[in-house]
Amino acid sequence: MNDQTYMQQALDLAKKGWGWTSPNPMVGAVIVKEDRIIGQGYHAKYGDLHAERAALAACTEDPAGATMYVTLEPCCHQGKQPPCTDAILEAKLARVVIGSSDPNPQVAGKGVAILRDAGVEVTEGVLKAECDALNDVFFHYITTGRPFVVLKYAMTLDGKLAAYTGVSQWITGEIARAHVQTQRGRYRAIMVGVGTVIGDDPRLTCRAEGGRNPLRVVCDTQLRTPLSSVVVQTAALNPTLIATASGDRAAIAAYEAKGCQVVTFPKKGEYVDLTAVMDYLGKQGVDSVLLEGGSGLHWSALEAGLVNKVQAYIAPKLLGGEGARSPVGGKGFPHPNDVVKVENITITQLGPDYLLEGEVRS
């Protein structure tokens, strides 16, 4: 087998950490000696062994002289785990093949330099595009300090989120809805506007088997979230943050008594400043946010240049209705040339429905 084949195996391992490594990256490692895999591992959970050390610990024979395939440049600094470069040198590996370079300023080429200076042969950029795509969240967060923001919605083929009556359950089928649950498990926070809470009373939890519940964030400028809503009533079990511009201490205390965290932010126009909210979340270690509505919140995030990716679940249905909601509301852009562009689009069929995913380019 060649370098690409072994790196693909490392990538497949890395994906097993989906949803659990945050705010660390997903990383996989495979150790090969005389064309035989003698060890493999991945970063399973934040705080656990890094992929390189997990693979070395799983070796079935002495790894001296072997080659390690790792999806991300080995770290060279002390964090919750010691430097992986130390483990590689102690194991006397002869060669290390790397997929992605690590943009973390504490690493950023230093890991490669340490290995090469010690006489280890290093090959970089094997399946680089695939390895980079695996950690789009980590790369954005470590370089900007802000969460990677995914704008997600489900709509009909004629662009409707709901019927003119406001009924939206269900636009898409069971397979698409199950896929959404896996996304809730991957991203660290899920954000909605207060209108979505009032209208739909959602749980905003991950119901995928083995999934991890995200932090629930409600953008509520005037503090209108019903105390009887599911997100408030279950706040003691599932972390819930209400982002508001209200200074009403009595109202805030009522939410806090239910277990909600209430944080006051400045306003931008008529609504809470989303940029300030994202900056706050980033400082709290939240590396990613899944936006799930409503259309006004979507527009505010796009207008502020905060969205990094779009996930549009499209059902082959036509609803019609001039008053039926569309995915993005707000004022909108004045001209077709003044738009947010979505590039590198992929299409995935999910039962009768389709998922379009693309990267946002402002």
Side-chain angles (χ1 to χ4, degrees), residues 59-72:
C59 277
T60 55
E61 60 183 88
D62 186 356
T67 296
M68 173 181 284
Y69 294 85
V70 60
T71 56
L72 184 67

Side-chain angles (χ1 to χ4, degrees), residues 137-148 275 277-288:
V137 168
F138 172 73
F139 289 172
H140 175 80
Y141 180 63
I142 202 69
T143 55
T144 68
R146 281 184 184 167
F148 184 90
T275 300
V277 175
M278 294 301 178
D279 285 341
Y280 173 84
L281 291 174
K283 290 175 182 176
Q284 302 305 306
V286 175
D287 66 355
S288 51

Side-chain angles (χ1 to χ4, degrees), residues 27-328:
V27 185
V30 173
I31 300 173
V32 178
K33 190 171 186 178
E34 298 174 355
D35 294 323
R36 292 175 292 108
I37 294 177
I38 64 169
Q40 52 187 338
Y42 65 99
H43 185 36
K45 189 176 183 180
Y46 179 65
D48 284 359
L49 286 177
H50 288 183
E52 298 93 325
R53 289 183 177 271
L56 287 168
C59 277
T60 55
E61 60 183 88
D62 186 356
T67 296
M68 173 181 284
Y69 294 85
V70 60
T71 56
L72 184 67
E73 178 181 1
C75 68
C76 54
H77 64 287
Q78 177 70 47
K80 285 188 174 293
Q81 294 290 333
C84 289
T85 49
D86 289 355
I88 291 169
L89 296 178
E90 289 167 6
K92 296 181 171 55
L93 293 176
R95 181 176 180 233
V96 175
V97 181
I98 297 169
S100 294
S101 299
D102 191 338
N104 184 343
Q106 292 182 293
V107 184
K110 298 183 182 72
V112 168
I114 287 171
L115 295 176
R116 283 181 172 150
D117 288 347
V120 177
E121 179 186 350
V122 179
T123 301
E124 298 181 79
V126 175
L127 297 188
K128 176 176 169 56
E130 293 87 342
C131 292
D132 285 354
L134 178 71
N135 282 308
D136 52 1
V137 168
F138 172 73
F139 289 172
H140 175 80
Y141 180 63
I142 202 69
T143 55
T144 68
R146 281 184 184 167
F148 184 90
V149 178
V150 180
L151 171 57
K152 168 263 169 184
Y153 52 86
M155 69 178 189
T156 59
L157 204 56
D158 57 342
K160 306 300 183 182
L161 291 178
Y164 73 90
T165 58
V167 177
S168 61
Q169 296 179 330
W170 294 103
I171 293 293
T172 54
E174 291 183 6
I175 296 175
R177 297 201 300 274
H179 188 272
V180 169
Q181 296 302 320
T182 68
Q183 301 306 295
R184 288 184 176 183
R186 177 183 183 183
Y187 300 112
R188 287 288 42 84
I190 182 169
M191 180 181 288
V192 297
V194 64
T196 295
V197 176
I198 293 172
D200 299 338
D201 197 18
R203 284 181 283 177
L204 304 179
T205 54
C206 174
R207 296 185 289 281
E209 185 177 353
R212 178 182 178 188
N213 282 333
L215 166 70
R216 302 179 298 188
V217 182
V218 180
C219 291
D220 183 359
T221 304
Q222 299 176 354
L223 216 52
R224 297 185 296 124
T225 301
L227 288 171
S228 60
S229 63
V230 172
V231 290
V232 173
Q233 290 297 317
T234 60
L237 298 174
N238 300 305
T240 303
L241 185 152
I242 299 178
T244 185
S246 172
D248 186 337
R249 288 306 311 168
I252 290 173
Y255 292 105
E256 291 176 337
K258 294 288 187 180
C260 296
Q261 179 187 5
V262 182
V263 181
T264 302
F265 295 94
K267 289 173 68 174
K268 184 175 182 180
E270 297 180 5
Y271 303 106
V272 65
D273 186 343
L274 276 186
T275 300
V277 175
M278 294 301 178
D279 285 341
Y280 173 84
L281 291 174
K283 290 175 182 176
Q284 302 305 306
V286 175
D287 66 355
S288 51
V289 172
L290 186 63
L291 289 183
E292 286 208 9
S295 61
L297 178 67
H298 292 172
W299 165 251
S300 295
L302 286 167
E303 185 182 32
L306 296 171
V307 178
N308 302 104
K309 184 176 183 179
V310 172
Q311 291 182 329
Y313 295 83
I314 301 176
K317 303 173 182 177
L318 301 173
L319 256 179
E322 292 183 6
R325 289 178 291 148
S326 63
V328 181

